[in-house]
Amino acid sequence: MLSTILLQAQGGGLGMFLPMILIFVVFYFFMIRPQMKKQKDHKKYIQELGVNAKIVTTAGIHGRIVEVGETSFLVDVGSGVKIRFDKSAVSLDASKALNVDKIEKKDA
């Protein structure tokens, strides 16, 4: 009888932590992992950008890359105006959408 009480007490402790563990696992697969994948895709996209690529910054500024630096891009925003942007300021989703439209128009 004493061993049964001890086993129930030990199992009860694990039973209390099981929901917390499950919450962490769900949180990891639905929040942390997708965010890490998005960051990895953004970094890869930024490394692939080169001169004459059209981009959109996180501030919504459209332009064409004129010069690629180690940590920044020199972007022509029109009428000969050039602005230097940090590479992290390039919006992955908007820039990809801008370039996909351009490719689809060429194919049509």
Side-chain angles (χ1 to χ4, degrees):
M1 183 166 155
L2 182 60
S3 62
T4 307
I5 294 172
L6 289 175
L7 288 175
Q8 288 177 351
Q10 290 174 352
L14 180 62
M16 288 175 42
F17 289 112
L18 190 60
M20 294 295 277
I21 293 169
L22 290 175
I23 289 171
F24 179 76
V25 169
V26 169
F27 185 76
Y28 175 79
F29 280 104
F30 286 105
M31 301 291 274
I32 297 171
R33 191 165 175 233
Q35 184 64 29
M36 288 171 39
K37 184 181 183 312
K38 188 174 181 179
Q39 287 174 346
K40 183 179 175 183
D41 290 344
H42 185 263
K43 185 177 180 180
K44 182 181 175 192
Y45 179 74
I46 295 299
Q47 289 174 346
E48 292 174 354
L49 285 175
V51 176
N52 291 327
K54 291 186 177 180
I55 62 166
V56 180
T57 66
T58 53
I61 299 172
H62 293 241
R64 184 180 51 85
I65 296 176
V66 177
E67 178 185 306
V68 177
E70 191 172 317
T71 60
S72 64
F73 293 122
L74 185 62
V75 179
D76 183 3
V77 294
S79 300
V81 176
K82 296 176 183 171
I83 304 173
R84 186 164 302 277
F85 286 100
D86 192 33
K87 287 185 175 183
S88 64
V90 175
S91 172
L92 171 67
D93 299 330
S95 295
K96 275 189 174 180
L98 182 67
N99 291 321
V100 167
D101 292 341
K102 182 180 174 183
I103 293 169
E104 287 177 356
K105 287 178 184 177
K106 282 185 180 179
D107 292 338

